[in-house]
DNA sequence: TATTGTTATACTCTATAACTATA
DNA sequence: TATAGTTATAGAGTATAACAATA
């Protein structure tokens, strides 16, 4: 109607990386919606799951595993602590051991259920073959790709 | 050495969505590095490419194709305009037709080369079979998944 | 009434630098 | 010296709400 057609030429459509980015951000938005109902962001949920599965771990360790920098872990953990979901227990003089509280463990179970439901929906959109192949491709990219 | 082992249990490793997210953000970081040398963010580069391939398109159209909201397109286009990369020409009374300037077209070519080189590196990490299968899986997810 | 562009605002995630203290 | 935690700060990206001008 104006100066351009209704469907634009998109030079990005040929780029595999762009397709991955688009799928990833759509997935993240959906996951954030689900976790938002529990009062958690995706980052908070992953940290909570990791602490719950590894009681006594430190925030540096968690950050290394999840590729979240130390400086960004501090406020994140403080938030979970303030909300009574996580306790920090001095183990070292310079580091804390992290454990989930009862509330934190309960919320963690709910978050894990939400994340697994989300992932089941995702996997349900793929054929068995496509799913296996996607896993293989992602593993290859994680090995070669960035360390992070 | 502290209270925890060196390798943590990671309950997220089983989640396909989490693997996609990790790969995607590593790819984005790498792409941002390359485009940063040209003074562009990935968003700015995608917008520039799209305008260059569709002279006269409007910012609403670009936003729709790239899944960037109108409200977020405004400052983005203004930035490209200020830098002399893009021109806005009234077509409608309420909308502008967008075209790249000579400088913008030149920068666009460089950005496209950087993005294609990045994508070639990515695709080089995959076997022919894995690449084909990844494309198929991503297409399935884009069809079913979010509209965005 | 619906659409375009815009402004304001806020939140999440990420990044760097610098500081304290502990090992 | 290296590491753990922290603080401050900045910049991207994204989201909603509201408004004016126009179709």
């Amino acid at each position: 109607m104006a100066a351009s057609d209704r469907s634009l030429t998109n030079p990005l459509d040929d780029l595999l990386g762009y397709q991955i980015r688009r799928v990833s951000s759509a997935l993240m938005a959906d996951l954030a919606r689900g976790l938002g109902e529990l009062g958690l962001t995706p980052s908070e949920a992953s940290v909570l799951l990791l602490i719950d599965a590894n009681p006594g771990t430190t925030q540096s360790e968690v950050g290394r595993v999840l590729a979240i920098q130390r400086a960004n872990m501090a406020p994140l953990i403080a938030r979970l602590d303030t909300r009574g979901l996580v306790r920090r227990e001095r183990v070292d003089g310079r580091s804390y051991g992290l454990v989930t509280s009862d509330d934190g463990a309960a919320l963690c179970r709910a978050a894990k259920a939400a994340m697994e439901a989300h992932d089941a929906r995702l996997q349900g959109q793929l054929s068995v073959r496509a799913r296996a192949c996607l896993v293989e491709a992602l593993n290859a990219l994680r090995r070669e790709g960035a360390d992070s």
Side-chain angles (χ1 to χ4, degrees), chain A:
Chain A
M1 30 201 57
S4 62
D5 294 54
R6 217 71 245 278
S7 66
L8 300 186
T9 299
N10 189 349
L12 301 170
D13 275 344
D14 297 330
L15 299 176
L16 188 52
Y18 180 71
Q19 301 300 335
I20 294 175
R21 172 180 163 196
R22 285 294 292 272
V23 165
S24 175
S25 64
L27 289 175
M28 281 298 291
D30 182 61
L31 180 60
R33 229 175 349 255
L35 291 173
E37 293 172 10
L38 300 174
L40 293 172
T41 66
S43 296
E44 290 166 347
S46 356
V47 168
L48 197 56
L49 257 71
L50 210 66
I51 294 173
D52 195 68
N54 300 276
T57 187
T58 66
Q59 73 183 51
S60 289
E61 269 296 309
V62 172
R64 262 192 295 274
V65 172
L66 296 181
I68 300 175
Q69 300 199 24
R70 278 205 323 286
N72 298 324
M73 284 297 296
L76 211 165
I77 295 290
R79 214 153 53 224
L80 296 178
D81 188 7
T82 299
R83 291 171 60 184
L85 302 173
V86 154
R87 279 198 314 276
R88 290 187 266 198
E89 297 167 346
R90 266 248 133 79
V91 296
D92 201 41
R94 73 176 173 182
S95 56
Y96 303 91
L98 300 171
V99 291
T100 49
S101 67
D102 289 347
D103 281 1
L107 188 55
C108 177
R109 280 189 294 275
K112 195 169 183 183
M115 294 174 83
E116 283 168 353
H118 169 263
D119 218 72
R121 269 200 311 282
L122 159 63
Q123 298 199 24
Q125 293 171 4
L126 298 170
S127 68
V128 172
R129 198 180 69 83
R131 189 186 321 163
C133 198
L134 179 54
V135 168
E136 180 197 320
L138 291 173
N139 284 339
L141 293 177
R142 287 208 55 179
R143 266 195 308 275
E144 285 246 26
D147 38 282
S148 69

